Amino acid sequence: MLTTILFDLDGTLVNTDILHFSIWQDLLLDQGITIDRPFYDQFMVGHRNEAIVRDVLSHLPFEVGMKLAQRKEALFRERGHQMQRLAGLDRLLDWLSQEELATAVVTNAPRENAEMMLTSLGLGDRFDHLIISEELPQGKPHPLPYQTALTQLGRESREAIAFEDTPLGIRSAVGAGVTTIGMATTHHPQVLQEAGAEFAIKDFTQERLWNWLPQLRVSAQS
């Protein structure tokens, strides 16, 4: 029944977490907070800024914390113009175009970041919809962002698959009833599968993915 593919952005279409981590590390050091990669992966990867401010910058007034988060996003946009598409993405985009599948990007990133990334990657016009969770009442891990994507595309969850690189993103997609593939760019495959991923791959070149996708289309056309 596959008619729709939904994509997370950071860590899925492009691996940006090294840059995000580096900027947060510098900014938090100025606040007297030292973070390592395990801390970042647990409390910050894929989270909306409101949650990061609440959980990591709780010593600051919320408005001050949000200004720091906005500074971080501005630095990311300044430094993020040399990004590369994740390996195999071009092949997948060509395939879904050939198969005439509906698409959307569903992200916890701020709109300015998402639009900058998609433009820098040359993907500004490759997706039917861009869903920004901070513009919704609930973000990931709530299912609302993926439910919104399906509503805007006019599709049912059983017709869709999603690609996600974080446990909270996977919980969001699975909570919306969407079969989800884990992208093991920021977390171990087992962590992603424990969160609900059907299976996990390191990028879009993986043979397991390409053995699986055509079967879904055969089912849809039979």
Side-chain angles (χ1 to χ4, degrees):
M1 294 294 294
L2 179 63
T3 67
T4 305
I5 298 186
L6 307 173
F7 296 90
D8 177 47
L9 180 48
D10 284 288
T12 298
L13 299 181
V14 56
N15 195 350
T16 55
D17 277 314
I18 293 174
L19 180 56
H20 283 296
F21 173 60
S22 175
I23 296 171
W24 268 124
Q25 199 173 36
D26 290 344
L27 290 177
L28 291 177
L29 191 60
D30 292 340
Q31 296 293 317
I33 301 172
T34 300
I35 63 170
D36 57 15
R37 187 68 202 211
F39 180 92
Y40 175 76
D41 288 346
Q42 181 175 355
F43 295 105
M44 303 176 79
V45 171
H47 291 252
R48 296 207 301 186
N49 280 330
E50 292 90 339
I52 293 173
V53 169
R54 183 185 65 243
D55 297 336
V56 181
L57 297 171
S58 58
H59 64 290
L60 296 175
F62 184 77
E63 295 78 7
V64 175
M66 285 303 297
K67 286 182 179 180
L68 185 65
Q70 290 164 7
R71 172 62 178 155
K72 177 263 170 183
E73 302 303 355
L75 289 170
F76 173 77
R77 291 191 293 274
E78 288 176 12
R79 303 176 188 177
H81 290 283
Q82 303 299 319
M83 296 177 291
Q84 301 292 320
R85 300 179 186 184
L86 204 66
L89 179 59
D90 289 349
R91 179 184 177 187
L92 180 57
L93 292 175
D94 289 344
W95 181 80
L96 64 85
S97 178
Q98 176 183 335
E99 297 291 326
E100 299 183 339
L101 302 184
T103 59
V105 172
V106 184
T107 179
N108 268 2
R111 179 170 291 278
E112 284 184 284
N113 286 24
E115 291 178 347
M116 180 276 289
M117 284 187 277
L118 292 173
T119 299
S120 296
L121 294 167
L123 298 174
D125 60 352
R126 291 299 300 265
F127 301 98
D128 298 321
H129 289 283
L130 172 60
I131 308 301
I132 305 295
S133 75
E134 72 174 13
E135 298 173 358
L136 302 173
Q138 297 284 346
K140 304 174 189 178
H142 195 279
L144 182 60
Y146 279 96
Q147 293 168 340
T148 301
L150 293 169
T151 297
Q152 291 192 8
L153 291 168
R155 305 301 169 103
E156 302 287 338
S157 60
R158 60 187 173 83
E159 301 177 64
I161 63 172
F163 291 94
E164 271 282 358
D165 72 303
T166 65
L168 68 83
I170 290 169
R171 291 198 297 273
S172 175
V174 171
V178 178
T179 298
T180 305
I181 308 308
M183 303 300 297
T185 56
T186 57
H187 292 80
H188 191 278
Q190 183 177 345
V191 172
L192 302 180
Q193 289 177 248
E194 288 174 353
E198 188 81 3
F199 57 88
I201 54 178
K202 68 176 184 178
D203 57 39
F204 297 108
T205 67
Q206 301 299 283
E207 183 178 354
R208 182 172 186 180
L209 174 67
W210 289 101
N211 288 338
W212 183 69
L213 285 174
Q215 296 177 20
L216 301 181
R217 291 300 289 160
V218 169
S219 297
Q221 295 164 1
S222 62

